[in-house]
Amino acid sequence: MSDLKADASGFSQPAPTPRTGGIAIATAELSGWKVLLVLALCLAAGKILLPVGMIRPPDWMILPFAAWINAVFDFLRYDLGLLSITRTIADGIEWCLDVTGNLLYGRNRWPHLGPIPWSVLAISFAILGYALGGWKLAVLSGGTLVWIAVMGQWRWAMETLSVIVVAAPLSVLIGMVTGVTAWRWSWFERALNPLLNIAQSMPHFAYMIPVVVFIGVGPKAGAVVTIIFSVPPMIRLTLLGLRKVPEEVVEAGKMNGASQWALLTRVRLPTARSELLLGVNQVIMQCLAMVVLASFIGMPGLGQRLLQMLQALRIGPAFEIGITIVLIAITLDRLSKAWATKKPVHHESGTHWMARHRLWLVWAGFASVAWLVAQVIPYLHEVTRSQALSMAPVIDMSVNWFLTLAAPVTEAIRRFLIIWVLIPFRDAILWLPFTAILVAVAALGWALGGRRSALICLAFMIPIAMTGWWDRAMITVYTVLTAVGLAALVSLPLSVWGAGNATRARRMLLVCDTLQTFPSFIYLIPVVMLFGVSDVAVLAAVMVFAGVPLVRYTIEGLNGIEPEVLEAGQMNGTTWWQALRHIRLPLAFPTILIGFNQSAMFALFMVIIAAFIGTQDLGQEMQRALSATDVGKGLTLGFAVAFLGLMADHLLMRWSRNIHERREARS
Amino acid sequence: MSEPAIECCNVWKVFGPNPVAHARTLKQEPSAGSDGHVVAVRDVTLRVKRGEMLVVMGLSGSGKSTLVRCLSRLVDVTDGVIKIDGQDIGSLSERDLIALRREKMGMVFQSFGLLPHRTVLENVAFPLEMRGQSRSARIARAREVLALVGLAEREDYYPRELSGGQQQRVGIARSLAIEPDIWFLDEPFSALDPLIRREMQDEFLRLKQLSDRTIVFITHDFDEALRLADRIAIMKNGAIEQCDTPDRIVLQPATDYVARFTQGIDRARVVHAGALCTPLNGSIVEGAPVASDVTIRALSRRLVAETRALIPVADSQGHIIGSLNRTQALDLLLGEAQ
Ligand SMILES: Nc1ncnc2c1ncn2[C@@H]1O[C@H](COP(=O)(O)OP(=O)(O)OP(=O)(O)O)[C@@H](O)[C@H]1O
Ligand SMILES: [Mg+2]
């Protein structure tokens, strides 16, 4: 997500400042951030001397954002009558959900045809997989459905899929229309860009509360929130794709007499096909991530089951559902990617109709046979609860066995982390006067990106102080910092090892890619299993989730170095360690920073999601706001989280770009 | 028919932050600094007669493609007027422009401009589709021209699956499909092998003779220019240095630049007897005349064997229009002229 953002914002990169007088400016900036840092240290050291208003945001500074937002929403709902409009839209969506619900799991609605026997769907998916990507994909997608059916999770999985089937196409459509509009009218794009930036940094829950207000809870609310959440990447990729269409292709269209509309629909959009399909892939993955989380607002399906099982600490069933979600994620991801990269097939001219449509015929044949057989053998139609092949008891047993075995270790880790890392760090960050933190953040901004960055950082931080949730925000910050820090401790050495050899690197990248397709919710299962419901579990989940992009970008950074540079180093007689320290890591550093950026973003998202297994940060408040459907509070908290994310994004990207620019200037 | 097909008066095309102002400054003070601007077309005035083939030459970056883009209004000119068949295309509405392009214009692009998501056949059928032809008619026509460029077997391929030369031929086929009145060809044969290149040149010459088609042709290849051109325009830094018949470009280069541009070529292959011929002024020359439209190179055998100092030159109707000085012609042939 963040690398897309980087791509998109790359267009508006400011021209490099003229080099004359650069030294003078540099020294001024140097001293500027040092002065700020000293000031921050003084503020911290002299805490006892400070008035209370400088230690915590004073009352006059705190503005009732939540009340204002609530007023706006009330106005929209009742005075503007937006409620009836949104309800109408939601009813339309509900109608679609009824149709897919009926077909997939036999919901008692029009067209009263369903449910389609699971065997028919499994065969259809297998053939779809074969058509898009050959045997492997056929086995993966067919096998996934078989697993779901045999494990007795068909109904929940279909409840989840029935939403995706409705939400994903709608998101793609909305995203494309918005993207085209933004491409066509640059003022619209300028207005849209900051909104997208904020939207992509808002935690999932922040989306849910307004939807609950306008639409209520249940499947249709889940579908709506899924649509809203998954639209932004489609918009960005549509824009990117349209921009990448070669000018000469468009000119060719014009010279051949294409009208504006024909240029758009027959030249530009088809030429942007690969970006659009990548957008489709992202939309589907975002949909899955959100639909699972939408269980918090009463969306039935796999997510809800998982939530219930986790809350009841029933690891076995949770584990099975986790596997199902992971399989679905991998299948959907591979299928949509295969569609995006599919090579066209050629038929000799004069090939028979049957040969051209061979796969369709095969599908029709197999599907009807499966349908008929399913009428005779009920097992192939529907796997009932008693027939389900659940391994939950076995899993529970082995997990318990493992846990008792590992308990000394996990307990030691937990104790160590809580006593020696978490509590001291948290206490320290909460002890600091808020003014000291603000000044320190400004100093950091100044050091990395000059005066402008310092101001931007303050512009993100001061509103957080003004929300009145300062302490909670600091706990979020501390959790994210600790998690990313610990993740870096593990994943940097791991990726250096991984980058050591090409096949190993490729495998690790594949694993990272796969892990990144998993809905974030999944990461909670193993940590709850290991650490129970505690701070450490949250930390571990965030750590794993944040570690993946870090590994990925570090490997890519280390492997992206031109071989000549390394060979030159070898010729100079560097040892492996020297090469790593003086050549490879410094050269890969800008890329690693991008990894840190994504890592921080992911960590923020995860902290908020993990809130329900016990934290005292913004996430916990967000959950409360959600259960009380308090839009004002929810959005205020959402903005606070988004601002933290955007600040981290700004700092890290600025830093990475600075290093790049300095290198370009030098060479 | 006296009206030129393409007429352009003092056309400027400037790229940069403030093109209009920069063009104005340059008009008053031609040596003004660039200030971040690129002057791709500089004060170009040009007329192309109906049925004429104008070849544009010049170094890379001299503004040839941009000039052609101006003529087809793919880019809007910074200053000046361009008329196609007497109609100022700068003032056309979107709708009229589309109509003009559909009815009259065709273009082959330097980097082909193929639609990557369409097969070869669909690419070639695209202009016909835009003109609203029925599916079967346009498929039939597309197959026809694909056979002409020798790509009949590849009709189901996608552009990225073809070699550069094959892609270029698809581009050529696409513009052949509509046989426009006014044709802009931007290095249309640059990626072709010599054999196919020659075939294509012949095809274009044939089409040109078939009806009076106006062609603006960009090339880096002087031989190709000579085969095809009625007139050659030589560009440098966006300005046209000279626009003239091949003979005069070689014999009377307007600037040093043009002279240097044509330095390496074999003049005897360019210059025709008619261009070297001087009026008789009453004197009498005897014997069999040579035709005025034959190159000196083609006359070489005869010139060596000839004994007369002055050889009569006849035009296509057989009238004697002047005489050819044998020594001068031999000098040119042996590369010692001027
Ligand atoms: N869209 C544009 N924006 C800015 N500058 C441009 C643009 N198009 C062309 N130019 C500049 O205009 C000048 C002329 O370019 P043009 O493409 O017309 O050259 P050309 O004569 O066709 O060269 P070639 O033989 O390499 O095709 C070049 O200096 C080029 O950089
Ligand atoms: Mg060109």
Side-chain angles (χ1 to χ4, degrees):
Chain A
M1 245 170 4
S2 299
D3 39 359
L4 282 181
K5 214 180 288 169
D7 267 352
S9 61
F11 290 100
S12 55
Q13 262 182 41
T17 43
R19 206 119 11 110
T20 45
I23 295 169
I25 294 171
T27 45
E29 280 173 7
L30 205 75
S31 49
W33 73 265
K34 278 187 180 159
V35 169
L36 284 183
L37 191 64
V38 171
L39 179 62
L41 289 177
C42 289
L43 282 171
K47 185 186 172 190
I48 8 170
L49 304 175
L50 293 181
V52 188
M54 287 183 76
I55 294 174
R56 280 293 174 271
D59 284 340
W60 56 262
M61 207 179 142
I62 292 165
L63 300 178
F65 290 118
W68 292 344
I69 295 176
N70 277 330
V72 170
F73 266 76
D74 281 345
F75 175 76
L76 292 176
R77 275 169 82 179
Y78 303 116
D79 300 320
L80 276 187
L82 213 57
L83 197 58
S84 58
I85 300 175
T86 53
R87 291 262 148 100
T88 320
I89 296 174
D91 287 345
I93 290 175
E94 188 165 37
W95 185 83
C96 300
L97 287 176
D98 283 344
V99 174
T100 55
N102 173 260
L103 292 178
L104 290 177
Y105 60 92
R107 192 173 204 190
N108 190 17
R109 292 282 147 72
W110 187 87
H112 296 289
L113 292 175
I116 301 173
W118 70 265
S119 47
V120 174
L121 272 183
I123 282 181
S124 308
F125 259 73
I127 292 179
L128 178 68
Y130 179 77
L132 291 177
W135 280 113
K136 273 191 194 163
L137 202 50
V139 171
L140 175 67
S141 34
T144 299
L145 290 208
V146 172
W147 156 276
I148 295 173
V150 171
M151 299 309 282
Q153 298 175 0
W154 190 256
R155 191 189 164 92
W156 307 320
M158 288 306 120
E159 279 170 347
T160 298
L161 275 185
S162 69
V163 176
I164 296 182
V165 170
V166 173
L170 280 173
S171 293
V172 167
L173 190 72
I174 297 173
M176 258 171 67
V177 171
T178 319
V180 168
T181 317
W183 166 81
R184 181 72 182 71
W185 288 284
S186 57
W187 63 263
F188 184 70
E189 194 206 338
R190 277 195 300 277
L192 192 68
N193 246 333
L195 284 181
L196 284 182
N197 280 341
I198 293 182
Q200 290 194 308
S201 329
M202 280 267 207
H204 305 67
F205 291 125
Y207 285 84
M208 293 181 187
I209 305 169
V211 171
V212 172
V213 168
F214 277 109
I215 289 161
V217 292
K220 59 181 171 181
V224 170
V225 77
T226 305
I227 292 172
I228 299 176
F229 184 72
S230 57
V231 160
M234 191 68 209
I235 300 180
R236 288 209 191 270
L237 280 160
T238 308
L239 259 171
L240 189 71
L242 285 176
R243 289 230 173 85
K244 268 171 68 177
V245 176
E247 192 49 30
E248 207 159 68
V249 171
V250 178
E251 287 181 338
K254 284 186 187 162
M255 277 316 280
N256 288 319
S259 61
Q260 287 290 345
W261 178 247
L263 270 183
L264 183 65
T265 54
R266 304 214 201 155
V267 177
R268 287 200 161 103
L269 285 177
T271 306
R273 180 179 183 271
S274 15
E275 278 79 18
L276 294 180
L277 286 180
L278 188 61
V280 170
N281 168 270
Q282 297 238 337
V283 164
I284 294 177
M285 298 330 285
Q286 297 277 55
C287 276
L288 183 64
M290 194 61 181
V291 98
V292 172
L293 276 179
S295 51
F296 282 94
I297 54 171
M299 167 82 221
L302 291 171
Q304 197 179 48
R305 287 295 295 177
L306 181 55
L307 186 60
Q308 287 164 358
M309 293 300 125
L310 276 183
Q311 276 167 342
L313 276 180
R314 292 182 54 194
I315 297 301
F319 198 79
E320 279 179 5
I321 295 170
I323 292 180
T324 304
I325 296 179
V326 162
L327 282 175
I328 292 180
I330 298 178
T331 305
L332 290 179
D333 179 58
R334 296 291 140 85
L335 281 178
S336 50
K337 274 193 188 140
W339 183 24
T341 54
K342 188 170 155 43
K343 291 263 174 344
V345 276
H346 307 295
H347 296 290
E348 298 288 315
S349 48
T351 315
H352 193 267
W353 180 87
M354 296 269 276
R356 276 177 198 270
H357 302 91
R358 195 172 53 92
L359 273 177
W360 285 105
L361 295 175
V362 170
W363 171 73
F366 271 104
S368 16
V369 169
W371 189 296
L372 289 177
V373 175
Q375 306 307 315
V376 184
I377 308 175
Y379 183 79
L380 290 179
H381 200 298
E382 195 184 341
V383 179
T384 57
R385 207 166 245 277
S386 54
Q387 291 166 318
L389 180 80
S390 172
M391 295 179 296
V394 184
I395 297 175
D396 268 337
M397 234 171 63
S398 34
V399 165
N400 275 337
W401 172 79
F402 175 76
L403 282 186
T404 37
L405 212 73
V409 183
T410 48
E411 193 49 40
I413 295 178
R414 203 162 91 174
R415 265 164 179 272
F416 171 79
L417 281 177
I418 289 182
I419 297 174
W420 294 106
V421 181
L422 296 182
I423 292 179
F425 190 24
R426 191 191 63 193
D427 289 349
I429 229 172
L430 288 179
W431 176 84
L432 281 175
F434 90 105
T435 40
I437 293 183
L438 285 182
V439 177
V441 163
L444 188 65
W446 197 316
L448 294 181
R451 221 165 316 179
R452 189 166 159 269
S453 285
L455 288 179
I456 290 178
C457 288
L458 283 181
F460 281 132
M461 281 306 271
I462 291 178
I464 297 179
M466 286 160 58
T467 58
W469 297 108
W470 181 262
D471 280 14
R472 301 265 174 184
M474 285 310 114
I475 295 181
T476 302
V477 168
Y478 120 84
T479 319
V480 168
L481 282 181
T482 332
V484 173
L486 289 176
L489 275 186
V490 179
S491 42
L492 289 184
L494 186 68
S495 20
V496 169
W497 173 76
N501 145 337
T503 13
R504 206 190 298 149
R506 197 153 24 81
R507 283 203 197 122
M508 279 181 70
L509 285 180
L510 186 71
V511 171
C512 286
D513 271 351
T514 312
L515 286 176
Q516 282 197 319
T517 61
F518 297 175
S520 31
F521 212 17
I522 292 299
Y523 288 82
L524 292 176
I525 303 171
V527 298
V528 169
M529 193 173 98
L530 281 178
F531 299 105
V533 173
S534 70
D535 264 18
V536 176
V538 175
L539 191 72
V542 181
M543 215 180 110
V544 177
F545 196 53
V548 176
L550 218 48
V551 171
R552 193 181 140 179
Y553 279 93
T554 310
I555 292 185
E556 276 177 4
L558 287 176
N559 281 0
I561 301 170
E562 287 163 35
E564 289 102 75
V565 179
L566 292 179
E567 280 159 13
Q570 277 166 7
M571 291 310 290
N572 291 332
T574 50
T575 62
W576 179 88
W577 178 248
Q578 281 172 327
L580 180 70
R581 209 177 109 68
H582 296 290
I583 304 176
R584 297 173 66 201
L585 277 183
L587 282 180
F589 193 58
T591 317
I592 298 179
L593 279 181
I594 297 178
F596 268 104
N597 184 25
Q598 225 180 54
S599 178
M601 282 291 183
F602 281 21
L604 264 178
F605 278 177
M606 197 63 188
V607 171
I608 307 297
I609 292 171
F612 84 101
I613 56 173
T615 51
Q616 286 100 48
D617 68 340
L618 292 172
Q620 189 194 29
E621 286 300 325
M622 189 93 88
Q623 299 256 338
R624 287 188 189 147
L626 182 59
S627 32
T629 56
D630 184 345
V631 203
K633 183 174 164 189
L635 280 185
T636 310
L637 294 165
F639 275 115
V641 176
F643 280 7
L644 287 176
L646 287 172
M647 190 180 77
D649 179 74
H650 172 83
L651 283 176
L652 290 166
M653 293 314 281
R654 187 71 251 172
W655 193 3
S656 165
R657 219 179 297 153
N658 272 356
I659 297 175
H660 252 306
E661 275 163 18
R662 236 176 288 148
R663 279 198 193 139
E664 306 255 292
R666 234 181 282 152
S667 63
Chain B
M1 279 291 155
S2 63
E3 196 174 51
I6 304 173
E7 186 177 9
C8 78
C9 300
N10 306 98
V11 167
W12 290 77
K13 179 67 200 178
V14 179
F15 291 108
N18 201 346
V20 179
H22 189 66
R24 209 177 299 137
T25 334
L26 279 182
K27 270 194 242 173
Q28 273 142 23
E29 190 190 336
S31 56
S34 85
D35 202 11
H37 294 85
V38 175
V39 185
V41 175
R42 186 189 300 263
D43 200 17
V44 166
T45 301
L46 196 77
R47 297 162 145 251
V48 188
K49 287 202 294 287
R50 186 151 323 201
E52 188 182 31
M53 165 114 57
L54 175 77
V55 172
V56 184
M57 300 193 71
L59 299 183
S60 191
S62 56
K64 307 178 295 294
S65 300
T66 310
L67 176 63
V68 163
R69 284 199 164 79
C70 290
L71 296 182
S72 54
R73 211 187 143 190
L74 282 174
V75 296
D76 286 317
V77 296
T78 310
D79 198 75
V81 177
I82 292 176
K83 290 182 178 165
I84 301 283
D85 288 337
Q87 193 173 29
D88 176 4
I89 58 166
S91 63
L92 287 181
S93 68
E94 178 76 31
R95 178 189 294 254
D96 292 338
L97 188 65
I98 290 174
L100 175 77
R101 285 176 178 153
R102 285 188 187 170
E103 283 158 21
K104 290 195 180 146
M105 288 186 179
M107 183 152 173
V108 174
F109 289 87
Q110 185 170 4
S111 33
F112 325 140
L114 301 180
L115 307 177
H117 59 285
R118 289 178 165 234
T119 62
V120 166
L121 188 71
E122 288 164 344
N123 257 293
V124 176
F126 181 71
L128 306 170
E129 187 181 328
M130 291 296 111
R131 284 163 176 75
Q133 283 194 10
S134 76
R135 191 178 156 73
S136 57
R138 61 184 194 239
I139 297 283
R141 173 70 187 144
R143 291 224 164 98
E144 207 173 294
V145 283
L146 274 177
L148 204 65
V149 297
L151 281 178
E153 285 94 77
R154 301 292 161 104
E155 61 170 48
D156 267 332
Y157 280 60
Y158 284 84
R160 62 172 175 280
E161 300 170 297
L162 301 179
S163 75
Q166 289 169 330
Q167 292 184 18
Q168 189 159 43
R169 278 187 278 159
V170 177
I172 295 170
R174 182 172 62 186
S175 92
L176 279 174
I178 45 171
E179 300 198 341
D181 290 342
I182 298 178
W183 222 334
F184 301 108
L185 308 173
D186 192 349
E187 303 189 27
F189 307 144
S190 56
L192 302 185
D193 60 77
L195 235 69
I196 299 182
R197 176 185 282 235
R198 204 163 173 91
E199 266 174 41
M200 289 288 125
Q201 289 169 356
D202 290 338
E203 179 62 24
F204 271 80
L205 281 173
R206 188 181 69 80
L207 283 172
K208 190 187 144 214
Q209 256 119 50
L210 223 59
S211 65
D212 47 24
R213 230 167 234 128
T214 313
I215 301 182
V216 178
F217 191 108
I218 298 178
T219 181
H220 284 289
D221 178 352
F222 217 91
D223 287 322
E224 184 167 79
L226 292 181
R227 280 202 78 198
L228 303 171
D230 293 315
R231 281 192 300 155
I232 298 181
I234 296 197
M235 288 187 79
K236 179 195 174 191
N237 293 340
I240 292 197
E241 293 276 295
Q242 187 172 7
C243 177
D244 233 324
T245 59
D247 300 81
R248 290 164 64 87
I249 294 259
V250 173
L251 291 176
Q252 292 152 32
T255 60
D256 276 356
Y257 179 77
V258 177
R260 263 186 290 134
F261 199 83
T262 59
Q263 217 166 33
I265 53 163
D266 179 4
R267 285 141 191 270
R269 284 181 39 216
V270 183
V271 178
H272 298 89
L276 276 187
C277 125
T278 46
L280 290 175
N281 289 337
S283 61
I284 296 173
V285 282
E286 287 165 355
V290 295
S292 65
D293 59 352
V294 183
T295 59
I296 301 299
R297 156 79 56 202
L299 287 174
S300 53
R301 192 169 282 279
R302 228 183 118 172
L303 283 170
V304 174
E306 191 65 63
T307 50
R308 293 169 290 177
L310 293 176
I311 307 165
V313 178
D315 66 10
S316 50
Q317 272 92 45
H319 302 300
I320 305 291
I321 52 168
S323 64
L324 178 69
N325 183 325
R326 175 171 168 261
T327 327
Q328 201 188 348
L330 278 176
D331 281 348
L332 190 89
L333 189 62
L334 301 173
E336 289 167 16
Q338 290 104 45

